[in-house]
Amino acid sequence: MSLKHAFTLIELLVVIAIIAILSAILFPVFAQAKEAAKKTSCLSNLRQIGTGNLLYAGDYDDTFVGTELGDEPEYFWADMLAPYLKNRDILSCPSSPVKLRFTDPVEGFPTGISKEWEYNYAINDIKGPDGRLMGAAFAGGTAITFPADTILIMDYWPESLEPEEDEERHEVGWVWGSRDATNRALDDGNPRHNGVFNLVFCDGHAKTRKREKVGNTFTLGTKDEEWSAFRG
């Protein structure tokens, strides 16, 4: 007569404890791997957006896409680039809980206009102290001094922040000489991908940059000169 062996309570507790330990070890690894995949997808989005901008410039006398145009309705850079992109899904970062949405159809925009305060990416629209345009928005492509080193569009705006006066989610618009990327979240990229962010340059190539928050300050990020489209 054979005897069936049953697990004792202690054996079951040991197995459960082992599973819990393995889960604690592996779940963060899986989460990092998932975020790495999202970062890669985001980088691909920005490459396509950069290519779309070059195609747009080819149709508009070498003028890059700008921040916004029009009045009643006002529309934004994503709406200008939409005809040059495979689909509008690439205008949203996969890691952002807020996705870019669009209004109902309006005259001239059968698929709607992008909602400004839901942008995940922002265009370089920095200005000089005198108000003149210094960024890539609305710039002439051949007039940009170093297109491979000038930022066009990037990961931006941590969702936890509230809009501040004269700031808009679809653009980076700090004034030259007043930038404080060490202490201000909105003066550089949003490191939503495990401490890194993605950006695309005016020649269409995209990169990943590190910008971590340590305590109340940020490390690394971009350089001031990478934002100026016209420099000697």
Side-chain angles (χ1 to χ4, degrees), residues 177-189:
S178 66
R179 182 181 185 224
D180 184 6
T182 300
N183 297 292
R184 272 182 51 82
L186 296 181
D187 282 0
D188 212 325

Side-chain angles (χ1 to χ4, degrees), residues 31-83:
Q32 288 183 2
K34 184 177 181 180
E35 185 54 48
K38 289 181 178 180
K39 180 193 72 175
T40 301
S41 179
C42 172
L43 192 67
S44 175
N45 287 354
L46 286 168
R47 285 196 187 101
Q48 293 179 64
I49 290 171
T51 300
N53 171 67
L54 295 175
L55 294 172
Y56 174 95
D59 285 343
Y60 288 92
D61 296 325
D62 192 46
T63 301
F64 279 11
V65 68
T67 50
E68 65 272 321
L69 287 172
D71 184 23
E72 296 184 3
E74 182 182 41
Y75 55 99
F76 308 97
W77 63 260
D79 306 304
M80 301 177 215
L81 288 185

Side-chain angles (χ1 to χ4, degrees), residues 203-224:
D203 68 341
H205 85 279
K207 282 186 177 180
T208 294
R209 287 284 178 85
K210 195 167 187 176
R211 188 191 187 211
E212 293 183 302
K213 191 170 186 180
V214 180
N216 293 321
T217 62
F218 290 93
T219 63
L220 304 176
T222 60
K223 300 176 182 178
D224 282 5

Side-chain angles (χ1 to χ4, degrees), residues 12-130:
L12 287 172
L13 291 175
V14 169
V15 171
I16 292 171
I18 292 172
I19 293 173
I21 292 170
L22 290 174
S23 298
I25 294 172
L26 293 176
F27 282 174
V29 174
F30 293 151
Q32 288 183 2
K34 184 177 181 180
E35 185 54 48
K38 289 181 178 180
K39 180 193 72 175
T40 301
S41 179
C42 172
L43 192 67
S44 175
N45 287 354
L46 286 168
R47 285 196 187 101
Q48 293 179 64
I49 290 171
T51 300
N53 171 67
L54 295 175
L55 294 172
Y56 174 95
D59 285 343
Y60 288 92
D61 296 325
D62 192 46
T63 301
F64 279 11
V65 68
T67 50
E68 65 272 321
L69 287 172
D71 184 23
E72 296 184 3
E74 182 182 41
Y75 55 99
F76 308 97
W77 63 260
D79 306 304
M80 301 177 215
L81 288 185
Y84 300 89
L85 306 176
K86 291 182 179 179
N87 62 72
R88 298 194 299 184
D89 291 341
I90 68 171
L91 294 164
S92 292
C93 173
S95 294
S96 175
V98 178
K99 305 304 180 187
L100 181 61
R101 294 191 301 167
F102 295 78
T103 66
D104 294 331
V106 298
E107 185 176 355
F109 296 87
T111 58
I113 295 174
S114 56
K115 295 186 176 181
E116 177 184 0
W117 288 108
E118 294 177 0
Y119 269 69
N120 304 161
Y121 302 133
I123 193 167
N124 173 8
D125 190 40
I126 70 160
K127 297 176 177 64
D130 57 357

Side-chain angles (χ1 to χ4, degrees), residues 124 126 146 148-152 176 199 201 207 209 221-229 231:
N124 173 8
I126 70 160
F146 301 105
D149 296 315
T150 302
I151 295 165
L152 176 66
W176 189 263
L199 65 167
F201 292 83
K207 282 186 177 180
R209 287 284 178 85
T222 60
K223 300 176 182 178
D224 282 5
E225 57 265 28
E226 292 178 297
W227 294 88
S228 176
R231 57 187 190 269

